[in-house]
Amino acid sequence: MAEHFHLNTPLLESVSMSKRVGTTVYLKMENSQPSGSFKVRGIGHLCQQLARKSKGVVCASGGNAGMAAAYVAKKMGVSATIVVPSSSPRLVVQRLQDQGATVKTMGKVWDDANAEAVRLAETEGLTYVPPFDHPLLWQGHATMITEAADSLGPGVKPGAVLVSVGGGGLLCGVIQGLKDVGWMDVPVIAMETVGADCFNAAVKAGKIITLDDITSEAKCLGAKTVCKKAFGYSQSGELTIISELVTDQQALHAMETFLDEERVLVEMACGAALAAVYSGLIRRLQDEGRLPVHLRPLVGDCVWRQQHQHGATRQPQTQNNHLSFCMCTFACVCECVWMLSNKCVSV
């Protein structure tokens, strides 16, 4: 069996985004993963540790975690049952079935589907694969940051990391990666859409909040409750986490602009992170003094794939006085995670 199931993805410079923010922006192209998103990193690592002799795995997902679980299970030769909420597009269900998974629809939102996945794990003896809340997932996702550090080279550190947040798994993985490479002084910008904002709601309330419903169209961000570890990081003072919201319209506009400029189609969850650049949020944070005016590279992760990736981008270059950010989001067809630094790096 392979040592791991994920690929070491390219770290590419976005000329157009760099021009917008006045510093170099790099993209970690997680849309090139075999399952279409960064999720295969953590889920592959977890399944290798917990499911080697399993009779099968079960996972609740709106798309990307399910695709990763189905892909890994197929490679390991075990069965996969993916429970999806009714809001999942038919295309997602078809892609899961194409990977050989059994798909079951349950409830309106992810939390409903997850309750059924937990029940199936208990009653049918399946290995439960959580989509975002497990230390093994975070260890796997952390490899994005170690790869980005290797690509940037010794002595080059991002000025910020930009990620999308759903249940908090990617955020926890990025922070674990920052710990691993000694970048805990790098701020993380955590992006959500209004209506799928469980992390922002918890940060504002000072306690974990469960949303009444998911009203955003960014369904891959649609967890009603953020994981405890992600919330804990926001309260710990270990590092700076800046939690921000954009509207669905801003996320959609970011998707369209990214497609026009980079020839890469991403989904709404990724658009939430992209909107930090296209809506002028990064500039506003600089004007407010919450980010330095002169940032190191910005690194972001393209973590949510919509369909095709035809980016016309250049390789990272080491320059001073550049903004680097890392944006992590979910993609059905195209994924993006971004980092901000003295250079701009988008992953």
Side-chain angles (χ1 to χ4, degrees):
M1 185 181 299
E3 181 180 351
H4 52 71
F5 298 101
H6 67 267
L7 303 178
N8 186 331
T9 55
L11 185 70
L12 303 178
E13 178 184 343
S14 169
V15 176
S16 60
M17 297 186 80
S18 299
K19 184 177 180 180
R20 285 177 179 272
V21 297
T23 188
T24 309
V25 175
Y26 293 105
L27 309 174
K28 186 84 165 104
M29 302 305 293
E30 286 297 292
N31 55 301
S32 60
Q33 292 292 355
S35 69
S37 80
F38 74 95
K39 292 281 189 177
V40 73
R41 293 178 181 269
I43 286 176
H45 181 58
L46 181 143
C47 287
Q48 283 188 315
Q49 302 299 314
L50 303 182
R52 287 183 179 274
K53 298 181 179 180
S54 173
K55 62 182 291 187
V57 301
V58 60
C59 178
S61 170
N64 293 310
M67 282 300 301
Y71 172 82
V72 169
K74 186 176 182 179
K75 290 295 184 182
M76 295 180 67
V78 300
S79 65
T81 299
I82 311 299
V83 187
V84 301
S86 60
S87 57
S88 300
R90 178 59 195 170
L91 175 61
V92 170
V93 174
Q94 184 60 57
R95 292 180 65 212
L96 290 169
Q97 292 172 335
D98 290 345
Q99 284 287 346
T102 298
V103 181
K104 183 173 183 178
T105 301
M106 179 61 64
K108 180 182 177 182
V109 297
W110 174 82
D111 301 73
D112 302 328
N114 188 57
E116 175 64 9
V118 171
R119 187 192 71 80
L120 290 173
E122 294 174 348
T123 59
E124 300 187 14
L126 302 175
T127 299
Y128 173 67
V129 178
F132 56 80
D133 194 2
H134 197 287
L136 290 174
L137 297 177
W138 309 331
Q139 290 173 17
H141 298 338
T143 58
M144 281 187 293
I145 301 301
T146 56
E147 288 176 12
D150 289 342
S151 296
L152 289 173
V156 180
K157 182 186 295 187
V161 174
L162 176 59
V163 304
S164 294
V165 179
L170 180 58
L171 176 61
C172 290
V174 165
I175 294 173
Q176 181 62 56
L178 295 177
K179 288 183 179 181
D180 293 344
V181 302
W183 286 356
M184 285 297 280
D185 58 334
V186 174
V188 177
I189 305 169
M191 300 297 299
E192 297 169 278
T193 52
V194 175
D197 51 354
C198 60
F199 179 66
N200 185 265
V203 170
K204 288 178 177 177
K207 62 181 180 180
I208 292 179
I209 296 292
T210 297
L211 303 178
D212 293 333
D213 196 7
I214 301 299
T215 57
S216 170
E217 291 302 316
K219 300 304 181 184
C220 285
L221 302 182
K224 293 199 292 185
T225 309
V226 74
C227 69
K228 292 180 180 179
K229 187 68 171 179
F231 174 71
Y233 277 134
S234 75
Q235 305 295 298
S236 68
E238 292 181 77
L239 79 167
T240 299
I241 301 177
I242 301 172
S243 174
E244 292 288 337
L245 300 179
V246 292
T247 65
D248 278 359
Q249 189 61 39
Q250 287 174 312
L252 179 61
H253 174 73
M255 291 169 55
E256 294 172 341
T257 306
F258 194 66
L259 176 60
D260 288 341
E261 295 186 349
E262 303 293 340
R263 313 309 299 165
V264 179
L265 180 61
V266 299
E267 68 181 55
M268 288 278 286
C270 186
L274 292 169
V277 170
Y278 294 129
S279 71
L281 174 66
I282 298 300
R283 291 287 195 183
R284 174 171 65 78
L285 293 175
Q286 291 176 299
D287 291 343
E288 293 173 353
R290 299 168 68 190
L291 284 177
V293 174
H294 299 292
L295 283 175
R296 295 185 302 271
L298 178 62
V299 177
D301 296 334
C302 269
V303 297
W304 315 96
R305 183 174 63 192
Q306 196 61 15
Q307 186 98 58
H308 306 289
Q309 182 236 324
H310 301 294
T313 51
R314 299 182 300 169
Q315 293 297 325
Q317 299 175 356
T318 307
Q319 303 172 359
N320 295 323
N321 299 321
H322 282 271
L323 174 66
S324 166
F325 71 91
C326 174
M327 166 168 28
C328 299
T329 65
F330 306 90
C332 202
V333 184
C334 228
E335 300 186 48
C336 283
V337 177
W338 313 76
M339 279 187 204
L340 297 167
S341 160
N342 286 341
K343 283 194 156 190
C344 250
V345 180
S346 171
V347 197

